[in-house]
PDB file of all heavy atoms in Angstrom:
ATOM      1  N   PRO A 612      43.660  -2.701  54.666  1.00  0.00           N
ATOM      2  CA  PRO A 612      42.377  -2.953  55.393  1.00  0.00           C
ATOM      3  C   PRO A 612      41.210  -3.151  54.409  1.00  0.00           C
ATOM      4  O   PRO A 612      40.318  -3.970  54.669  1.00  0.00           O
ATOM      5  CB  PRO A 612      42.180  -1.694  56.244  1.00  0.00           C
ATOM      6  CG  PRO A 612      43.522  -1.095  56.395  1.00  0.00           C
ATOM      7  CD  PRO A 612      44.250  -1.395  55.118  1.00  0.00           C
ATOM      8  N   LEU A 613      41.240  -2.428  53.310  1.00  0.00           N
ATOM      9  CA  LEU A 613      40.178  -2.579  52.309  1.00  0.00           C
ATOM     10  C   LEU A 613      40.228  -3.976  51.676  1.00  0.00           C
ATOM     11  O   LEU A 613      39.225  -4.635  51.498  1.00  0.00           O
ATOM     12  CB  LEU A 613      40.292  -1.529  51.204  1.00  0.00           C
ATOM     13  CG  LEU A 613      39.267  -1.609  50.116  1.00  0.00           C
ATOM     14  CD1 LEU A 613      37.858  -1.313  50.623  1.00  0.00           C
ATOM     15  CD2 LEU A 613      39.601  -0.685  48.966  1.00  0.00           C
ATOM     16  N   LEU A 614      41.471  -4.442  51.417  1.00  0.00           N
ATOM     17  CA  LEU A 614      41.627  -5.800  50.870  1.00  0.00           C
ATOM     18  C   LEU A 614      41.055  -6.850  51.804  1.00  0.00           C
ATOM     19  O   LEU A 614      40.426  -7.810  51.403  1.00  0.00           O
ATOM     20  CB  LEU A 614      43.096  -6.079  50.590  1.00  0.00           C
ATOM     21  CG  LEU A 614      43.435  -7.471  50.098  1.00  0.00           C
ATOM     22  CD1 LEU A 614      42.715  -7.779  48.784  1.00  0.00           C
ATOM     23  CD2 LEU A 614      44.943  -7.635  49.908  1.00  0.00           C
ATOM     24  N   GLU A 615      41.267  -6.656  53.114  1.00  0.00           N
ATOM     25  CA  GLU A 615      40.725  -7.578  54.099  1.00  0.00           C
ATOM     26  C   GLU A 615      39.208  -7.570  54.056  1.00  0.00           C
ATOM     27  O   GLU A 615      38.570  -8.646  54.150  1.00  0.00           O
ATOM     28  CB  GLU A 615      41.192  -7.201  55.487  1.00  0.00           C
ATOM     29  CG  GLU A 615      40.802  -8.157  56.590  1.00  0.00           C
ATOM     30  CD  GLU A 615      41.373  -7.787  57.948  1.00  0.00           C
ATOM     31  OE1 GLU A 615      42.260  -6.915  57.980  1.00  0.00           O
ATOM     32  OE2 GLU A 615      40.899  -8.346  58.961  1.00  0.00           O
ATOM     33  N   LEU A 616      38.609  -6.414  53.869  1.00  0.00           N
ATOM     34  CA  LEU A 616      37.160  -6.319  53.778  1.00  0.00           C
ATOM     35  C   LEU A 616      36.665  -7.044  52.520  1.00  0.00           C
ATOM     36  O   LEU A 616      35.718  -7.857  52.573  1.00  0.00           O
ATOM     37  CB  LEU A 616      36.714  -4.845  53.742  1.00  0.00           C
ATOM     38  CG  LEU A 616      35.225  -4.611  53.415  1.00  0.00           C
ATOM     39  CD1 LEU A 616      34.359  -5.029  54.620  1.00  0.00           C
ATOM     40  CD2 LEU A 616      34.979  -3.161  53.052  1.00  0.00           C
ATOM     41  N   LEU A 617      37.292  -6.778  51.411  1.00  0.00           N
ATOM     42  CA  LEU A 617      36.872  -7.368  50.107  1.00  0.00           C
ATOM     43  C   LEU A 617      37.017  -8.889  50.133  1.00  0.00           C
ATOM     44  O   LEU A 617      36.176  -9.567  49.542  1.00  0.00           O
ATOM     45  CB  LEU A 617      37.703  -6.773  48.975  1.00  0.00           C
ATOM     46  CG  LEU A 617      37.630  -5.282  48.756  1.00  0.00           C
ATOM     47  CD1 LEU A 617      38.494  -4.857  47.549  1.00  0.00           C
ATOM     48  CD2 LEU A 617      36.191  -4.834  48.537  1.00  0.00           C
ATOM     49  N   SER A 618      38.015  -9.372  50.769  1.00  0.00           N
ATOM     50  CA  SER A 618      38.291 -10.843  50.747  1.00  0.00           C
ATOM     51  C   SER A 618      37.195 -11.613  51.438  1.00  0.00           C
ATOM     52  O   SER A 618      37.071 -12.821  51.171  1.00  0.00           O
ATOM     53  CB  SER A 618      39.634 -11.107  51.382  1.00  0.00           C
ATOM     54  OG  SER A 618      40.684 -10.456  50.644  1.00  0.00           O
ATOM     55  N   GLY A 619      36.445 -11.002  52.324  1.00  0.00           N
ATOM     56  CA  GLY A 619      35.420 -11.749  53.019  1.00  0.00           C
ATOM     57  C   GLY A 619      34.012 -11.423  52.585  1.00  0.00           C
ATOM     58  O   GLY A 619      33.068 -11.654  53.351  1.00  0.00           O
TER      59      GLY A 619
END
Side-chain angles (χ1 to χ4, degrees):
L613 179 67
L614 176 59
E615 185 177 346
L616 171 72
L617 299 181
S618 299

